[in-house]
Amino acid sequence: MSRVYNFSAGPAVLPEAVLKEAAAEMLDYRGTGMSVMEMSHRSKAYDDIIKAAESDLRDLLHIPDNYRVLFLQGGASQQFAMVPMNLMKNRAADYIITGQWAKKAYQEAGMYGQANAIASSEDRTFSYIPDCSDLPVSENADYVYICENNTIYGTKFWTLPDTKGKDLVADQSSCFLSEPVDVAKYGLIFAGAQKNVGPAGTVIVIAREDLIREDVLEGTPAMLRYKTHADAGSLYNTPPTYGIYICGKVFKWLKEMGGLEEMKKRNEKKAKLLYDFLDQSRLFKGTVEKKDRSLMNVPFITGDEALDALFVKESKAAGLENLKGHRTVGGMRASIYNAMPMEGVEKLVAFMDDFEKKRG
Amino acid sequence: MSRVYNFSAGPAVLPEAVLKEAAAEMLDYRGTGMSVMEMSHRSKAYDDIIKAAESDLRDLLHIPDNYRVLFLQGGASQQFAMVPMNLMKNRAADYIITGQWAKKAYQEAGMYGQANAIASSEDRTFSYIPDCSDLPVSENADYVYICENNTIYGTKFWTLPDTKGKDLVADQSSCFLSEPVDVAKYGLIFAGAQKNVGPAGTVIVIAREDLIREDVLEGTPAMLRYKTHADAGSLYNTPPTYGIYICGKVFKWLKEMGGLEEMKKRNEKKAKLLYDFLDQSRLFKGTVEKKDRSLMNVPFITGDEALDALFVKESKAAGLENLKGHRTVGGMRASIYNAMPMEGVEKLVAFMDDFEKKRG
């Protein structure tokens, strides 16, 4: 067995310790005589798994008691509809467009009411975060929506927008659990698991209780109401049991690593190594405004498409996988989530340095 | 490691060979240097996995070319909304109520149009399948809906209803791939994976192409449109990649076992052993009309609640797990899906015989 360094934007690298445990428990989870995949979601053993996952997540993020944690399905894309269907009681919401995913969420919300794009960075290929200190927040807006870390473009909101009293809804898929967060600043946070937390197919929602409403929009399916899942402790129907089990293992791993303060330090250190290299390189350059740089997703280019392609090919041969950039940005992108070890980034920078010396 | 015989109704037992392979591939899928969980859903390696899964499923069920196969999320419960949202162009549909899940589907459909309960077996705790040879099918019905195998009650449609030309929609969650099926008799089939196919969190939809429509009901989320997923080959957003991978392994296992004709024979043999025992027992009895008995879910009672409880407790101690019946039926239920080996049923019958001799 030989593991590569996997820079995929998602599904993405998971802690090796978690995978080893999962493999060891595959046929017999701790003396139950069955795999977690085979376990009734109503069983005592599974109840322990999902309760521990929620409890560890609450510990990691210091989630206040008046916030509910839901383990759902359908990914962030389904949240693009669930958010307006559940929260748009005035049929109005403000969206800040910082990338493709924010734009998709905005377009989906338009089916359910007045969705207003109150800021955007589309003019420069989403390479920055707009100034959000004094936005034209709509008076009747039910919420202000952001995609907090933009996976494709490599930007991050380092200052949350001034929502002028409106509830903030944040898609945190690609920065979830990468650093401490003050949950009380948000009305609702959601995150697809497949970037920083676990396998695809689980989406985690953290919502303030008063936003889990009975009076959702007409025609909202039972499965798309937060209340359905909140009332049933995420067990209204069979949840993605195995995915939640892996997420739970990642939460425990994060606690063992020292929690989110420590992860933030490690993530800053990893990102600094790569950004410092980019800033002194004559061949490679970052594509994003420095003040808005993500710690998780680092796009870079050489400016020469043929050279970019060669880099992707040769890096792959060197065991550095999935460095090809998103087609809308081009070039390369290194996703360096929690589970990417420092050595992976060191190997990448050494490879880039070498490539630059040979080809630059 | 000691495996139990797991009679859970779902999530349920999986083939041991599949779990062993999954464990062995957990840290390095066939030389890729990563787990399938860590793999981009846009990668070549994953594309091979999902394409092989679909192709093997098509082989197993001889799915005609004018039917699409979709791997979705949200379980059968989400299909309860997707079916009317996508198919109810006349805003009318007929439902046959043979259990709790059919009833939930019927209630959900009522949000979107006129849902008619044209037959029901609720009068006798859903212990039979109503005569469906001459139903009052509505002239404007967009489809006729059945739950083909009723997990909780242990009944099965052995003859499909005469829909008088309307499209038949079937929830096959608990009988999917347990026997050959003539797909052309249906407009749409769906099945949650977590009973007979794989881990919870994946639902498989097989739909005739003309039912994958552009003109869905207003307000249908992008994620709840069949067309969204059909157009993208189930890769509109990140699908439940690991779940689909396990389903794919189960499909290969079924082919190795001889396909669905062979599975039907094995399932009939397993069920016969258990039903024959029930029919001669003085202590235990089945709860379902004989002509409507499911091959997958076998509920039975002693008629004495204390004795039922003792049976469940002692069977568990003997390594026969999850035999407690659903609360609406009481007593016991043995789910004997494809992956339950003959020896499991033999052990159960021997245990029942022994229990009857001691306590009967």
Side-chain angles (χ1 to χ4, degrees):
Chain A
M1 191 204 68
S2 153
R3 300 260 300 161
V4 296
Y5 290 107
N6 178 10
F7 295 92
S8 172
V13 58
L14 288 167
E16 207 170 287
V18 164
L19 295 174
K20 280 184 178 156
E21 263 188 44
E25 292 172 353
M26 183 62 87
L27 279 98
D28 179 11
Y29 176 74
R30 301 183 187 179
T32 57
M34 63 182 80
S35 174
V36 172
M37 275 187 222
E38 304 175 294
M39 209 173 262
S40 168
H41 55 301
R42 309 277 177 205
S43 65
K44 172 76 174 67
Y46 193 75
D47 198 57
D48 289 349
I49 289 171
I50 193 168
K51 288 230 170 75
E54 174 170 345
S55 162
D56 287 331
L57 180 61
R58 285 187 172 276
D59 286 354
L60 283 167
L61 278 170
H62 306 293
I63 299 175
D65 286 345
N66 63 328
Y67 282 73
R68 299 295 298 270
V69 173
L70 308 176
F71 296 101
L72 306 181
Q73 300 185 56
S77 294
Q78 195 153 307
Q79 292 306 306
F80 299 168
M82 280 182 79
V83 165
M85 287 178 120
N86 283 269
L87 304 189
M88 250 196 192
K89 60 177 178 185
N90 291 330
R91 299 265 182 170
D94 290 347
Y95 281 73
I96 300 172
I97 315 296
T98 54
Q100 180 182 303
W101 299 111
K103 198 173 172 183
K104 278 203 176 191
Y106 160 70
Q107 288 163 340
E108 187 88 357
M111 278 208 297
Y112 305 103
Q114 178 68 38
N116 311 297
I118 58 168
S120 171
S121 54
E122 194 164 11
D123 59 341
R124 282 185 278 133
T125 325
F126 301 120
S127 59
Y128 68 104
I129 298 290
D131 178 3
C132 296
S133 59
D134 185 19
L135 294 167
V137 175
S138 308
E139 252 182 60
N140 63 340
D142 292 310
Y143 56 88
V144 175
Y145 181 103
I146 60 169
C147 179
E148 194 162 334
N149 186 85
N150 296 281
T151 321
I152 295 176
Y153 306 95
T155 61
K156 163 102 197 310
F157 280 86
W158 289 109
T159 309
L160 292 177
D162 180 353
T163 63
K164 303 188 177 172
K166 303 296 181 190
D167 288 319
L168 181 64
V169 172
D171 175 356
Q172 285 193 351
S173 295
S174 53
C175 59
F176 195 59
L177 304 184
S178 66
E179 58 174 357
V181 155
D182 184 357
V183 173
K185 289 184 176 163
Y186 302 80
L188 187 148
I189 293 167
F190 66 84
Q194 74 277 11
K195 295 180 187 297
N196 223 352
V197 184
T202 299
V203 59
I204 294 165
V205 173
I206 302 170
R208 215 177 55 230
E209 271 172 354
D210 60 294
L211 295 178
I212 296 172
R213 285 208 295 260
E214 188 95 54
D215 60 328
V216 299
L217 298 194
E218 207 187 311
T220 303
M223 280 292 289
L224 266 60
R225 297 167 190 224
Y226 293 125
K227 193 161 192 316
T228 299
H229 301 285
D231 287 352
S234 298
L235 294 169
Y236 169 70
N237 70 334
T238 318
T241 49
Y242 196 77
I244 295 169
Y245 152 78
I246 300 290
C247 290
K249 284 193 184 297
V250 172
F251 301 155
K252 287 214 187 299
W253 177 80
L254 288 169
K255 288 174 88 170
E256 278 159 26
M257 298 291 283
L260 302 190
E261 294 286 357
E262 178 59 27
M263 289 319 295
K264 184 181 187 180
K265 274 184 220 159
R266 298 168 66 102
N267 288 326
E268 282 171 344
K269 209 170 143 196
K270 285 186 288 176
K272 187 176 187 311
L273 182 66
L274 184 47
Y275 284 124
D276 282 353
F277 177 81
L278 287 174
D279 289 343
Q280 63 72 49
S281 170
R282 285 158 299 113
L283 179 63
F284 299 101
K285 66 175 172 124
T287 58
V288 159
E289 275 198 22
K290 287 189 185 177
K291 69 173 177 47
D292 301 321
R293 280 172 164 175
S294 166
L295 295 182
M296 299 285 101
N297 310 98
V298 183
F300 55 94
I301 54 173
T302 65
D304 173 339
E305 279 183 33
L307 211 52
D308 288 350
L310 187 70
F311 180 88
V312 170
K313 190 181 158 195
E314 291 191 351
S315 59
K316 186 179 163 73
L320 306 167
E321 283 273 354
N322 289 316
L323 283 163
K324 189 168 191 294
H326 192 273
R327 66 184 186 284
T328 57
V329 177
M332 285 70 70
R333 173 178 50 176
S335 294
I336 50 176
Y337 297 118
N338 281 338
M340 173 59 65
M342 188 66 185
E343 308 87 73
V345 184
E346 284 165 357
K347 282 258 164 70
L348 171 60
V349 167
F351 181 85
M352 290 168 77
D353 192 37
D354 192 50
F355 188 90
E356 178 165 346
K357 277 173 186 141
K358 277 194 288 198
R359 317 272 181 180
Chain B
M1 188 204 72
S2 152
R3 299 262 298 163
V4 296
Y5 290 108
N6 177 10
F7 295 92
S8 173
V13 57
L14 289 166
E16 208 171 286
V18 164
L19 295 173
K20 279 184 180 157
E21 263 189 44
E25 292 172 353
M26 182 63 86
L27 279 100
D28 179 10
Y29 175 75
R30 303 182 186 181
T32 57
M34 63 182 79
S35 173
V36 172
M37 274 186 223
E38 304 176 292
M39 208 172 262
S40 169
H41 56 301
R42 310 275 176 207
S43 64
K44 172 76 174 69
Y46 192 74
D47 198 57
D48 289 349
I49 289 172
I50 193 169
K51 289 232 171 76
E54 174 171 343
S55 160
D56 287 331
L57 181 60
R58 284 187 173 276
D59 286 353
L60 282 167
L61 278 170
H62 306 293
I63 299 175
D65 287 347
N66 64 326
Y67 282 73
R68 299 296 297 269
V69 173
L70 308 175
F71 295 101
L72 306 180
Q73 299 186 56
S77 294
Q78 196 153 306
Q79 292 307 308
F80 298 167
M82 281 182 77
V83 165
M85 288 177 119
N86 284 270
L87 303 190
M88 249 195 194
K89 62 175 179 186
N90 291 330
R91 299 264 184 171
D94 291 346
Y95 280 72
I96 300 174
I97 315 296
T98 53
Q100 178 181 305
W101 298 111
K103 199 172 170 181
K104 280 204 176 190
Y106 159 71
Q107 288 164 341
E108 189 87 358
M111 283 206 295
Y112 305 103
Q114 178 69 37
N116 312 297
I118 56 168
S120 170
S121 54
E122 194 164 12
D123 58 341
R124 282 186 277 134
T125 324
F126 300 118
S127 58
Y128 68 103
I129 298 290
D131 177 3
C132 295
S133 58
D134 186 19
L135 294 167
V137 175
S138 308
E139 253 182 60
N140 63 340
D142 292 309
Y143 56 87
V144 174
Y145 181 101
I146 61 168
C147 181
E148 193 161 334
N149 185 83
N150 296 280
T151 322
I152 296 176
Y153 307 95
T155 59
K156 163 104 198 305
F157 279 85
W158 289 111
T159 309
L160 292 178
D162 180 353
T163 64
K164 302 184 177 174
K166 304 296 181 189
D167 287 321
L168 180 65
V169 172
D171 175 356
Q172 286 194 350
S173 295
S174 51
C175 60
F176 194 59
L177 304 185
S178 65
E179 57 173 359
V181 155
D182 183 357
V183 172
K185 289 185 175 164
Y186 302 79
L188 187 149
I189 293 167
F190 66 84
Q194 74 276 9
K195 297 182 186 294
N196 224 353
V197 185
T202 299
V203 60
I204 295 163
V205 174
I206 302 169
R208 215 178 53 228
E209 272 172 353
D210 61 294
L211 296 178
I212 297 173
R213 284 208 294 260
E214 188 95 52
D215 60 330
V216 300
L217 298 194
E218 205 187 314
T220 303
M223 280 291 289
L224 268 60
R225 297 169 192 223
Y226 293 125
K227 191 161 192 324
T228 299
H229 301 286
D231 286 352
S234 299
L235 294 169
Y236 170 70
N237 70 335
T238 319
T241 48
Y242 197 77
I244 295 169
Y245 153 75
I246 299 290
C247 290
K249 285 194 182 297
V250 172
F251 301 155
K252 286 216 188 297
W253 178 80
L254 288 169
K255 286 174 90 169
E256 279 159 26
M257 297 291 282
L260 301 190
E261 295 284 355
E262 177 59 25
M263 290 318 295
K264 185 181 189 184
K265 274 184 218 157
R266 298 168 66 102
N267 287 326
E268 282 172 342
K269 206 171 144 197
K270 285 187 288 174
K272 185 175 189 313
L273 183 65
L274 185 46
Y275 284 125
D276 282 352
F277 177 79
L278 286 173
D279 289 342
Q280 62 72 48
S281 170
R282 283 157 301 113
L283 180 62
F284 299 102
K285 64 175 175 132
T287 59
V288 159
E289 274 196 25
K290 288 188 186 180
K291 70 177 175 46
D292 301 323
R293 281 171 165 175
S294 165
L295 295 183
M296 297 285 101
N297 311 99
V298 183
F300 55 95
I301 55 172
T302 65
D304 174 338
E305 280 184 30
L307 210 53
D308 287 351
L310 187 70
F311 180 88
V312 170
K313 190 180 156 194
E314 293 191 350
S315 59
K316 185 179 165 71
L320 306 167
E321 284 271 355
N322 290 314
L323 283 163
K324 193 170 189 294
H326 193 272
R327 65 184 185 286
T328 56
V329 176
M332 283 70 69
R333 173 179 49 177
S335 294
I336 50 176
Y337 296 119
N338 281 340
M340 172 60 65
M342 189 66 187
E343 309 86 75
V345 183
E346 284 165 356
K347 281 259 164 68
L348 171 59
V349 167
F351 182 85
M352 289 168 78
D353 191 37
D354 192 50
F355 187 89
E356 177 165 344
K357 278 173 183 141
K358 275 195 286 195
R359 316 274 181 182

